Amino acid sequence: MPQEPQLQLTERSAGVVHKLLVVAVVMMVLVIAALRPAFGFESAGQLTTVFRVAAVGDDRDAWWRANFPRAIVVWALAEGSALAGTVFWVVTGDFVILAVVTGVSLALMVLSRPAALGGR
C-alpha cells in the first residue's frame, strides 16, 4: 500500500503562508475601502480586538512542525478580526473601527511573523 506524502512544515512554508495572509488583509481592506461609498452606511459604535502570542522552542523546524497549526490559527484570527473591523467600518462609517481593529490585526501579524515566533 503506498504511503501518503508527508507535508514538510518548516519556517519557510510558514513564511509563505504568513505573507499570503498579510497580503490578503491589505488587499481586502483596499478593495472594501474602494467599494465602501457604494454601500451608503452611516456611522455608529466601536470595536476593539487584541490577541497575544507566546512561544518557546529549540529546533526551529521541529518547533514549526509542533506549532504551525497554532500559528495558522493566530494568523487566521488576526485576518478575521481585520475583516470584521473592515465590515463594521463599512456598516458604521466609523474610521476608528477600521484603524484600531485592522491596525491591531496587522500589528499582531507582524509580531507573530515566522521569524519572531520561529522557536528562537
Side-chain angles (χ1 to χ4, degrees):
M1 211 181 228
Q3 284 186 328
E4 292 185 31
Q6 291 278 333
L7 180 61
Q8 295 296 318
L9 301 176
T10 63
E11 186 172 5
R12 183 175 178 188
S13 57
V16 170
V17 171
H18 180 263
K19 285 178 181 83
L20 289 172
L21 289 172
V22 169
V23 169
V25 167
V26 172
M27 293 303 296
M28 170 194 61
V29 171
L30 292 175
V31 168
I32 292 176
L35 296 175
R36 186 179 183 277
F39 297 133
F41 292 104
E42 295 182 24
S43 296
Q46 242 182 323
L47 175 69
T48 303
T49 304
V50 179
F51 296 102
R52 295 181 67 172
V53 176
V56 180
D58 295 324
D59 175 42
R60 288 161 111 177
D61 287 339
W63 188 91
W64 279 109
R65 282 189 295 276
N67 294 290
F68 193 83
R70 290 184 187 115
I72 291 288
V73 168
V74 170
W75 298 335
L77 288 170
E79 185 180 26
S81 64
L83 175 59
T86 305
V87 169
F88 291 150
W89 167 65
V90 167
V91 171
T92 66
D94 187 0
F95 185 74
V96 173
I97 291 173
L98 177 67
V100 171
V101 178
T102 303
V104 168
S105 298
L106 286 172
L108 174 64
M109 293 194 73
V110 168
L111 292 173
S112 65
R113 69 193 181 280
L117 293 179
R120 293 179 188 198

